[in-house]
Amino acid sequence: VLGCPHYARACKLRHPSSGRLYTCRLCCEQHREHPLKDKDSPLDRYSVTEVYCMRCSTLQPANDHCINPGCDASASFGKYNCKLCNLYDDTPHKNIFH
């Protein structure tokens, strides 16, 4: 299963300020809490413009599926996705409200 402990998904979000890749905003928060790491501002999903496909390692404009023809383009980054706030989730039987 691709993703992180918080969300099952096949993409990472590129932080709009630093360019670092995070699987989700909660992972970004955990990274910020680490005392020896450089600190990013909180990850604002609404400001994300690029995602990184975890299947083929392609950085691309935020979308619901990979644009790389060599990747499994028919597979989405998550069964649930919101193009407004860049929320992706592929967790079975999870109800998302936002």
Side-chain angles (χ1 to χ4, degrees), residues 18-81:
S18 72
R20 288 188 182 111
L21 296 169
Y22 295 102
T23 309
C24 74
R25 67 176 182 80
L26 300 171
C27 288
C28 179
E29 289 296 321
Q30 287 177 337
H31 182 84
R32 291 176 67 226
E33 291 172 2
H34 194 283
L36 301 176
K37 300 280 184 174
D38 292 335
K39 304 216 183 299
D40 271 333
S41 58
L43 179 61
D44 177 11
R45 291 190 326 251
Y46 289 90
S47 299
V48 168
T49 59
E50 293 178 303
V51 296
Y52 174 87
C53 179
M54 295 171 76
R55 292 185 193 100
C56 71
S57 304
T58 300
L59 185 63
Q60 56 198 285
N63 201 349
D64 60 346
H65 63 278
C66 185
I67 62 169
N68 179 357
C71 189
D72 184 6
S74 64
S76 64
F77 290 137
K79 291 177 185 163
Y80 179 87
N81 66 73

